[in-house]
Amino acid sequence: MHKVATPLLLKKERQDFIIKELNLHNKVLSSDLCSQLNVSEDTIRRDLNELAESGKLVKVHGGALSVSYSGNSSEDVVYAREQKLIIAKKAVSLIQDGMLILTSGGTTLREVIKLLPKDLNATFCTVSLMTAEELLKHPNIEVIFIGGKLSKDAKISVGGDSILKLSEMSFDLCMVGTNGIDAKFGVTDSDLEVVQVKKAMIRASKKIVVLSISEKLNTVCRGGICKPNEIDYLITELDNHAPELASYHQAGIKLL
Amino acid sequence: MHKVATPLLLKKERQDFIIKELNLHNKVLSSDLCSQLNVSEDTIRRDLNELAESGKLVKVHGGALSVSYSGNSSEDVVYAREQKLIIAKKAVSLIQDGMLILTSGGTTLREVIKLLPKDLNATFCTVSLMTAEELLKHPNIEVIFIGGKLSKDAKISVGGDSILKLSEMSFDLCMVGTNGIDAKFGVTDSDLEVVQVKKAMIRASKKIVVLSISEKLNTVCRGGICKPNEIDYLITELDNHAPELASYHQAGIKLL
DNA sequence: TATTGATTTGCGGTTTTATGCAATTTTATA
DNA sequence: TATAAAATTGCATAAAACCGCAAATCAATA
């Protein structure tokens, strides 16, 4: 005759909590969870099993790790590559011979660079090591790197030097990947050093193109980069009649 | 009756840490690992065994080596790696905490960066994408990239902007790899854009260290970078009494 | 409303895993 | 070849995972 106490939280809430913890710390211990959530080890274990089943985390003895973290070993796989390829194709259509284009970093931008036509004659400017390396593979593209202190995480130039340099230049087009994009708050990022640089990038460019997989739509991070009315184009993998994009269209952003 | 202390990290985290160390330094010592991770030698050894089992590293007496380093990987084979490693070891001995160091590109420099001690606190400045990426792997090193137009072949910043920027700075030490080095003509290179940048690098630095495998000794290229009397140290894989180096010694260059 | 069936949860017992320790063997090297 | 460091082996133990099962909860429906 077992007593089963009414849980304080529903299963879904518990699992959401676990995911949140994981996003925050990249790891959770079963023991911590069951004291925080006031449930038995078994329940936690079953939750972890379910979440692992659907690929939301990686289970290990004693707890779980976030998928992004656990995948540091062979990171040749790009997250959501399919979507990013669609985005890249659309982005390429905006680029024309003779343009002076400024680009940020990120794997989406890399896909864009990879898809650039071989005979394109243009000048690209970037703050990202990864983007620069990719650009150098194109024989007809002139590549300029905006120097400065390099950020360990984003692997882009940050700090005063980069911002100053950007302020002295003027670009036809600026392509930025995003961490957060929202119809009301615009483009945001959680890394404040990155925020400063991206703001400078946007100030330096005539046209702003924001690239984002739909998953990041309607997310807001701490640091504001630009308001919706500063964005000229928003490119996602979705069809531009998709309901998810309606609010952005209403905000005056062109969809592609 | 043995007590088993709760580990601070989960097994997977530990193993990820080992892999990361390996990517950075190409080798790990079991003794280092077990003090860094606060676990017994046995645990480390079992981790190494598992990782070796799945081909993530190569186990050797006393520690482990990264697969690429241990040889077989045809991926990034570095020409004359053995010699470059010897050079790198010597070069590292010149670097101290708090220094501001300027470095060129090249695979020799990459080996130097890989061998830098983990706890080194210094600021590195570079014009090379490859060097920059390697430097970013060191958490305690501040990395500054000198921006500018990127050269397709050398993958370093060239042109007026980079040279101007360099002229505004002052470094404790400059480490350059070379294409040609000769006791009479000094350092030379065949790429004239690269020559300009290297000249600027040398002007901006108090001490000049030239790294060169012995194969390149007594070769002269079209573009002169600096005269022998401007060189402070010459580092090759040879013993500094080797006859090949006599003429350099006579030219007043310190050997290492 | 009452019944029935599926879901969720906790508990006891069992199995597996992870780790440390001690004694012995192997390896590297001076 | 002598010696110290490292690897191996076997064992002990605590923690975690697993497996049924029963109680409680929830959902749908007769």
Side-chain angles (χ1 to χ4, degrees):
Chain A
M1 173 150 7
H2 299 302
K3 267 246 286 279
V4 177
T6 307
L8 288 83
L9 291 125
L10 268 29
K11 193 168 98 158
K12 180 82 169 54
E13 294 181 282
R14 248 189 356 247
Q15 298 194 352
D16 284 350
F17 177 85
I18 295 175
I19 296 295
K20 222 176 73 189
E21 279 295 289
L22 221 41
N23 286 336
L24 210 49
H25 303 112
N26 281 329
K27 98 168 164 182
V28 290
L29 301 181
S30 317
S31 51
D32 286 359
L33 287 174
C34 81
S35 68
Q36 285 169 4
L37 296 168
N38 261 347
V39 289
S40 72
E41 291 264 357
D42 294 72
T43 302
I44 293 300
R45 187 171 37 72
R46 276 184 280 240
D47 282 340
L48 294 183
N49 278 330
E50 283 178 32
L51 292 168
E53 196 84 22
S54 56
K56 305 250 175 67
L57 51 76
V58 176
K59 213 161 79 87
V60 297
H61 197 92
L65 302 173
S66 74
V67 269
S68 54
Y69 173 82
S70 71
N72 83 359
S73 309
S74 54
E75 187 74 54
D76 281 327
V77 271
V78 176
Y79 177 68
R81 177 174 227 146
E82 289 299 314
Q83 286 99 311
K84 289 179 179 172
L85 263 172
I86 298 172
I87 295 173
K89 275 187 198 140
K90 296 183 185 175
V92 167
S93 71
L94 290 174
I95 298 173
Q96 280 156 27
D97 257 36
M99 275 187 165
L100 177 57
I101 299 164
L102 178 60
T103 69
S104 75
T107 48
T108 309
L109 257 299
R110 170 152 69 179
E111 297 303 327
V112 175
I113 311 293
K114 281 188 177 169
L115 285 185
L116 291 175
K118 292 276 169 292
D119 57 346
L120 177 71
N121 271 287
T123 303
F124 276 76
C125 212
T126 187
V127 290
S128 152
L129 288 184
M130 186 169 79
T131 305
E133 299 230 344
E134 211 58 55
L135 283 165
L136 281 177
K137 294 179 185 164
H138 289 268
N140 296 319
I141 291 180
E142 178 164 4
V143 189
I144 294 169
F145 193 95
I146 306 289
K149 185 186 127 199
L150 296 182
S151 144
K152 298 266 184 221
D153 335 319
K155 301 193 175 178
I156 66 170
S157 287
V158 296
D161 269 17
S162 337
I163 292 168
L164 180 63
K165 189 76 198 170
L166 283 168
S167 74
E168 295 168 354
M169 303 183 74
S170 173
F171 301 92
D172 297 316
L173 200 66
C174 172
M175 289 197 168
V176 281
T178 80
N179 254 281
I181 168 100
D182 183 276
K184 187 168 169 207
F185 295 97
V187 181
T188 52
D189 197 299
S190 44
D191 184 327
L192 297 183
E193 279 190 314
V194 172
V195 166
Q196 296 308 317
V197 175
K198 288 198 174 172
K199 279 169 93 162
M201 289 173 63
I202 284 167
R203 273 197 302 272
S205 307
K206 300 194 195 102
K207 294 278 180 190
I208 311 302
V209 184
V210 175
L211 314 180
S212 174
I213 56 175
S214 62
E215 189 183 307
K216 293 184 181 166
L217 290 174
N218 310 321
T219 61
V220 179
C221 306
R222 280 186 302 161
I225 294 173
C226 78
K227 294 287 162 204
N229 60 6
E230 300 178 72
I231 306 171
D232 293 284
Y233 295 93
L234 170 62
I235 306 184
T236 70
E237 83 279 12
L238 301 173
D239 185 278
N240 54 20
H241 300 110
E244 295 96 316
L245 296 174
S247 57
Y248 297 90
H249 181 63
Q250 274 153 29
I253 303 173
K254 293 193 197 74
L255 302 173
L256 213 72
Chain B
M1 201 213 281
H2 302 302
K3 267 259 280 281
V4 177
T6 308
L8 287 82
L9 279 83
L10 298 168
K11 194 169 102 160
K12 179 114 179 30
E13 291 183 286
R14 244 185 5 240
Q15 299 193 352
D16 283 349
F17 178 86
I18 295 174
I19 296 293
K20 223 175 77 188
E21 279 295 289
L22 223 40
N23 285 337
L24 195 48
H25 299 107
N26 283 325
K27 87 170 173 192
V28 290
L29 301 181
S30 316
S31 50
D32 284 359
L33 288 174
C34 81
S35 66
Q36 287 172 39
L37 296 167
N38 259 348
V39 289
S40 72
E41 294 262 358
D42 297 72
T43 302
I44 293 300
R45 189 170 32 71
R46 275 185 279 240
D47 282 340
L48 294 183
N49 279 331
E50 282 178 33
L51 292 168
E53 195 85 20
S54 56
K56 305 248 176 69
L57 52 75
V58 176
K59 214 158 79 84
V60 295
H61 199 91
L65 304 173
S66 72
V67 271
S68 56
Y69 177 82
S70 73
N72 58 34
S73 164
S74 56
E75 188 68 51
D76 50 335
V77 268
V78 174
Y79 176 69
R81 178 169 223 157
E82 289 300 314
Q83 286 100 314
K84 289 179 181 173
L85 262 173
I86 298 172
I87 295 172
K89 272 186 200 141
K90 296 182 187 178
V92 167
S93 72
L94 290 175
I95 298 174
Q96 280 155 26
D97 257 37
M99 276 185 164
L100 177 59
I101 300 163
L102 178 61
T103 70
S104 74
T107 49
T108 310
L109 257 299
R110 169 151 71 179
E111 297 302 328
V112 175
I113 312 294
K114 282 191 172 179
L115 285 185
L116 290 176
K118 294 184 271 275
D119 56 346
L120 178 70
N121 270 290
T123 303
F124 275 76
C125 213
T126 188
V127 291
S128 151
L129 288 185
M130 186 170 76
T131 305
E133 298 231 346
E134 212 59 56
L135 283 166
L136 281 178
K137 294 179 185 167
H138 289 269
N140 296 319
I141 291 180
E142 178 164 8
V143 189
I144 294 168
F145 193 95
I146 306 288
K149 187 186 126 198
L150 296 181
S151 143
K152 298 268 182 218
D153 350 315
K155 300 191 177 181
I156 66 171
S157 286
V158 295
D161 270 14
S162 337
I163 292 167
L164 179 63
K165 188 77 200 169
L166 283 168
S167 74
E168 297 167 355
M169 303 183 73
S170 172
F171 302 91
D172 297 316
L173 200 66
C174 171
M175 289 198 167
V176 280
T178 78
N179 254 282
I181 168 99
D182 184 274
K184 189 170 168 204
F185 294 98
V187 181
T188 51
D189 197 299
S190 45
D191 184 328
L192 296 183
E193 279 189 315
V194 172
V195 166
Q196 297 308 316
V197 175
K198 288 198 173 172
K199 279 168 90 162
M201 288 173 63
I202 284 167
R203 272 198 303 272
S205 307
K206 300 194 194 102
K207 295 278 180 191
I208 310 302
V209 183
V210 174
L211 315 180
S212 173
I213 56 176
S214 63
E215 189 183 309
K216 293 184 181 168
L217 289 173
N218 310 321
T219 60
V220 178
C221 305
R222 281 186 302 161
I225 294 172
C226 77
K227 293 289 163 202
N229 60 7
E230 299 178 74
I231 305 173
D232 293 282
Y233 294 93
L234 169 61
I235 306 183
T236 70
E237 83 280 11
L238 301 173
D239 184 277
N240 55 20
H241 300 110
E244 296 96 316
L245 296 174
S247 58
Y248 296 89
H249 182 64
Q250 275 153 31
I253 303 173
K254 295 192 195 73
L255 303 173
L256 212 74

